[in-house]
Amino acid sequence: EKGGDAANMVTVFDVAVQNFLMTEITKIIPDAFFFAEEKENNAEDLMRDYCFVIDPIDGTTNFVHDYRYSCISVAMFSHGDIKFAAVYDPYADEMFSATKGGGAFLNGKPMRVSDRDMPHSILAFGTCPHMKKEMGEQSFRLAYAVYSECSDVRRPGAAALDIAHLAAGRNDIFFELLLSPWDCAAGSLLVREAGGII
């Protein structure tokens, strides 16, 4: 089931995955709050004891087209600070996870950002498809500027997974000019715990 324009698709699966996660987390932490893509949100909830920031399917357009580059992203905030992060790629069966001060892991094995220099690095970037007129040209101009200095660029279409791959050292740089909290909350902890800068 598609709603809105083609670049802003919402599927029944987004809602189903989000509801499943909220139900299961509430069983473990009954007083949990949620800040999620497919619901009304209150930023003050991030200051609670437990607030989970959820993107039920990041890369929805990919998912709808069976492009097989999508993920589920969850970050746990406590009093405004990210304490735990998980990004799951169901196609590759890869779980990227991190705890604050505890390191970052890929399927339970420690992961680190790369140490490649710029000429050998890969840029992954997002194109702000929901704001093409406002940010499209600027996005590609910036991508071209970095492309001119690095090895190559990638535009896979799921920011949370792109950032998780950055934490795992698979790409070296990521940017998108506008992201929602659920796009980058988990990834920001993954990158920091993997030795990177966000």
Side-chain angles (χ1 to χ4, degrees):
E1 181 176 317
K2 300 174 184 177
D5 60 70
N8 192 24
M9 297 173 188
V10 176
T11 70
V12 292
F13 297 100
D14 283 285
V15 177
V17 170
Q18 181 170 294
N19 289 343
F20 172 81
L21 290 169
M22 291 170 63
T23 298
E24 294 302 309
I25 290 170
T26 302
K27 288 178 184 176
I28 300 165
I29 305 173
D31 58 347
F33 287 79
F34 298 94
F35 194 97
E37 185 173 19
E38 306 302 333
K39 67 180 281 294
E40 292 294 320
N41 294 298
N42 181 352
E44 293 176 7
D45 289 342
L46 297 172
M47 301 306 296
R48 308 273 188 174
D49 288 343
Y50 302 102
C51 182
F52 290 84
V53 177
I54 297 173
D55 193 340
I57 302 178
D58 186 51
T60 307
T61 303
N62 286 350
F63 178 77
V64 169
H65 288 265
D66 195 30
Y67 194 75
R68 305 182 72 78
Y69 191 87
S70 305
C71 67
I72 299 166
S73 179
V74 179
M76 190 198 83
F77 279 69
S78 182
H79 304 284
D81 198 18
I82 307 174
K83 300 291 189 180
F84 170 79
V87 172
Y88 179 64
D89 176 352
Y91 300 108
D93 192 23
E94 290 186 325
M95 176 68 79
F96 304 82
S97 62
T99 54
K100 186 173 182 181
F105 301 88
L106 172 52
N107 285 347
K109 296 179 181 177
M111 65 179 181
R112 296 288 293 173
V113 295
S114 78
D115 60 357
R116 296 181 195 94
D117 60 8
M118 183 61 90
H120 298 97
S121 65
I122 291 175
L123 162 70
F125 74 106
T127 56
C128 301
H130 306 98
M131 301 190 73
K132 290 178 183 175
K133 290 181 181 177
E134 299 86 350
M135 297 185 178
E137 186 177 342
Q138 185 181 356
S139 296
F140 282 94
R141 196 164 48 243
L142 180 55
Y144 181 75
V146 180
Y147 169 69
S148 299
E149 302 295 327
C150 73
S151 175
D152 207 349
V153 298
R154 304 287 184 267
R155 197 290 188 240
L161 194 50
D162 290 344
I163 298 169
H165 284 203
L166 175 64
R170 294 174 176 172
N171 61 53
D172 310 284
I173 309 161
F174 173 81
F175 83 83
E176 188 156 0
L177 297 181
L178 182 65
L179 289 172
S180 298
W182 42 81
D183 294 320
C184 55
S188 67
L189 184 64
L190 292 175
V191 169
R192 285 197 296 266
E193 289 296 325
I197 299 167
I198 190 135

